[in-house]
Amino acid sequence: MAEVKLLGLWYSPFSHRVEWALKIKGVEYEFIEEDLQNKSPLLLRSNPVHKKIPVLFHNGKPISESMLILEYIDETFEGPSILPNDPYDRAIARFWAKFFEEKGTSVGRSFFLKGEEQEKAKEQVCEMLKVLDNELKNKKFFVGDKFGFADIAANAAALWLGVLEEASGVVLVTSEKFPNFCAWRDEYIYCSQNKEYLPPRDELLAHFRARFQAAAAASAPK
């Protein structure tokens, strides 16, 4: 039996990408919760370059970066394929996964930053959403009608974005502005095949509400 452990955070979309892939493959694993305010020696030792989660341990060997871990899981373990079998479809899936890696960081900045930096991040998110809305026109998922690699990469846009909007009061997405994106998001969240892989929305919402409230209290005039 292979020993599989995942070092991550329960509320992290990056950790959940990896958990999703492991569950699709039917791989049993141990989840180890990390504390980013007091990073463990295990994290610092296993990912000395970036010092970030998630880190997957397979028989003691660490692999870092969520999308690289997804490809490793797909190639290593038996079970349903995560990347498409067709070479062209695989290339398209990797393209959109890379798009989310490059553009997705602006999502967090649009909620957690203030002033000019926040406004710039919000503009970047809106530009990203325009691209996605156009791409998803007449499409159920990013590569045809099958949920897969690119959609898992987009989990922050599908679930976390809406949670952050509700927790912060900052609204970036409306069905009037981005109808195709919203249709994809609804299919993503409410599709029966995905529900078991997504974290509880109410727990995510409570977590991020507490974070925004703490930040507001810390910045309030004394």
Side-chain angles (χ1 to χ4, degrees), residues 106-114 118 122 160-173 201 204-216:
S106 58
V107 172
R109 294 200 301 271
S110 65
F111 295 104
F112 291 104
L113 297 180
K114 298 295 181 184
Q118 183 185 39
K122 287 164 68 174
W160 274 258
L161 177 54
V163 168
L164 290 169
E165 285 183 312
E166 187 173 345
S168 67
V170 176
V171 178
L172 300 175
V173 182
R201 190 182 188 281
L204 282 180
L205 182 58
H207 169 79
F208 284 108
R209 272 183 173 157
R211 285 184 61 176
F212 284 119
Q213 290 168 359

Side-chain angles (χ1 to χ4, degrees), residues 65-180:
E65 298 296 312
S66 61
M67 298 314 298
L68 297 180
I69 297 172
L70 253 66
E71 294 214 37
Y72 178 85
I73 290 170
D74 203 24
E75 294 171 358
T76 303
F77 298 102
E78 295 182 359
S81 177
I82 297 170
L83 272 162
N85 293 321
D86 180 78
Y88 177 78
D89 287 346
R90 276 203 305 275
I92 297 302
R94 287 183 172 124
F95 172 86
W96 287 110
K98 190 171 188 295
F99 176 87
F100 284 110
E101 290 293 276
E102 293 174 347
K103 306 294 185 181
T105 54
S106 58
V107 172
R109 294 200 301 271
S110 65
F111 295 104
F112 291 104
L113 297 180
K114 298 295 181 184
E116 187 177 329
E117 289 182 316
Q118 183 185 39
E119 293 306 313
K120 183 178 179 181
K122 287 164 68 174
E123 289 175 9
Q124 291 171 341
V125 172
C126 285
E127 289 303 313
M128 178 186 78
L129 290 168
K130 287 178 185 176
V131 172
L132 297 179
D133 196 68
N134 183 65
E135 175 62 23
L136 290 164
K137 189 175 183 179
N138 300 320
K139 291 175 68 175
K140 189 176 180 180
F141 295 115
F142 277 95
V143 182
D145 290 331
K146 185 179 179 183
F147 186 93
F149 186 77
D151 303 285
I152 293 176
N155 66 347
L159 180 60
W160 274 258
L161 177 54
V163 168
L164 290 169
E165 285 183 312
E166 187 173 345
S168 67
V170 176
V171 178
L172 300 175
V173 182
T174 65
S175 57
E176 290 76 22
K177 290 176 68 175
F178 307 112
N180 302 315

